[in-house]
Amino acid sequence: MPSSDVRDRVRLLGREGLTVMPLVIVAVVVAYAVTLRLTPTPADRDGAPTGATL
């Protein structure tokens, strides 16, 4: 990769990118946790729910 590409990518990240990145990580983790909570647990053959609950 040419060095100009690296400089362009760093310039695009900038201070705003470093500020926004933690918010993106938190949003992804929260979305994953909500998805886990809203996803119904599969039932076994007897009809009883299986799997761990949060």
Side-chain angles (χ1 to χ4, degrees):
M1 172 181 335
S3 62
S4 61
D5 287 346
V6 174
R7 277 186 261 137
D8 289 340
R9 290 172 193 231
V10 171
R11 196 176 310 127
L12 286 175
L13 183 63
R15 291 181 184 245
E16 296 82 15
L18 293 176
T19 304
V20 172
M21 193 58 92
L23 297 176
V24 171
I25 293 169
V26 169
V28 169
V29 171
V30 168
Y32 179 72
V34 168
T35 301
L36 285 179
R37 294 287 267 166
L38 294 178
T39 303
T41 57
D44 64 6
R45 293 181 187 192
D46 297 331
T50 60
T53 58
L54 294 176

